[in-house]
Amino acid sequence: MNPQIQWITLLWMLFSGAAMGLAYDSYRVLAGQLRFPRWSQHALDMAYWIAAALFVFRMLYVTNYGQLRFYVFLGLFLGVWIYFLLWSVITKRFVVMLIQAAKRLLSVLMTMFRVLVWNPIRGILNLLKGLIKLLWRLVMFLLRVVLRCLLPFWSLLKWMLRPITSRVKMPVWVKDVADKVIKAWKRWF
């Protein structure tokens, strides 16, 4: 392996170490802000290390076909070390700022959704509910008025049919059903 490929590999491993540090800081700040359950931390740590290992080995395979040498580990270590010396605090602050901006944006979007979509739909549904109640009461009132107007005719019809109805014997179950219908009718009207 020629020195040029070795230097390129070392630079890519420095970059990979810095990328691992960046991902680690971002993950830790995100986990702290979102307060993942305690039991999930081990699974998330394992997922981070698997992703980091796959990333490093992919970079290693691209740069020198996967050959492990001492300078590969040196480059990773130096990349992580330089990242934590220079960029760790800035990254943490930036990730916190991004999370706060995302929370604010989500809050604004939820408020806009509530004001522009949910409240009008709820208002329209309440209006329709009120209109249906009003219409139902109006129909019931008109039906009562019509029934009151028809009451004399009903009494006259009953009086005219009394000779026939007095001779007809109603079964008991028909009488029970008629009583229930009359009770329901009186309750509604």
Side-chain angles (χ1 to χ4, degrees):
M1 181 180 302
N2 64 12
Q4 181 183 3
I5 293 177
Q6 290 178 357
W7 282 107
I8 290 173
T9 303
L10 180 65
L11 289 175
W12 276 105
M13 289 303 111
L14 282 168
F15 167 74
S16 298
M20 284 174 52
L22 175 81
Y24 185 76
D25 272 349
S26 301
Y27 156 66
R28 278 295 169 201
V29 170
L30 194 62
Q33 289 286 323
L34 297 182
R35 294 182 183 91
F36 290 123
R38 201 152 191 66
W39 59 267
S40 68
Q41 286 180 347
H42 301 296
L44 292 172
D45 285 344
M46 181 65 80
Y48 165 77
W49 284 110
I50 289 172
L54 290 174
F55 174 73
V56 167
F57 285 120
R58 175 70 181 151
M59 288 295 128
L60 188 62
Y61 185 75
V62 168
T63 56
N64 70 355
Y65 303 109
Q67 294 179 8
L68 279 176
R69 306 285 176 158
F70 173 73
Y71 58 86
V72 170
F73 297 109
L74 181 67
L76 282 173
F77 175 74
L78 287 176
V80 170
W81 185 57
I82 291 170
Y83 167 78
F84 279 111
L85 280 178
L86 301 177
W87 297 99
S88 180
V89 175
I90 296 170
T91 301
K92 288 178 185 177
R93 288 180 184 163
F94 182 71
V95 171
V96 168
M97 182 191 69
L98 283 179
I99 291 171
Q100 289 172 350
K103 285 181 180 178
R104 285 188 196 120
L105 179 65
L106 186 62
S107 173
V108 166
L109 290 176
M110 289 301 292
T111 303
M112 287 175 56
F113 175 77
R114 196 176 320 116
V115 168
L116 296 176
V117 176
W118 181 248
N119 287 346
I121 288 175
R122 198 171 69 192
I124 289 171
L125 289 176
N126 286 339
L127 180 66
L128 287 175
K129 184 178 169 184
L131 286 175
I132 289 172
K133 277 185 179 180
L134 179 67
L135 187 62
W136 178 256
R137 287 181 181 171
L138 182 65
V139 166
M140 289 296 126
F141 172 75
L142 291 176
L143 199 54
R144 281 188 194 126
V145 169
V146 168
L147 288 176
R148 295 278 180 200
C149 291
L150 291 178
L151 190 61
F153 295 110
W154 176 252
S155 300
L156 180 65
L157 184 64
K158 253 174 68 175
W159 176 76
M160 289 172 46
L161 293 177
R162 185 173 291 155
I164 298 172
T165 57
S166 64
R167 292 190 178 139
V168 175
K169 295 287 181 180
M170 293 272 193
V172 176
W173 66 272
V174 172
K175 210 173 204 184
D176 290 341
V177 169
D179 287 341
K180 288 180 183 177
V181 169
I182 289 171
K183 283 181 185 176
W185 186 267
K186 286 182 179 177
R187 186 178 69 205
W188 285 97
F189 303 108

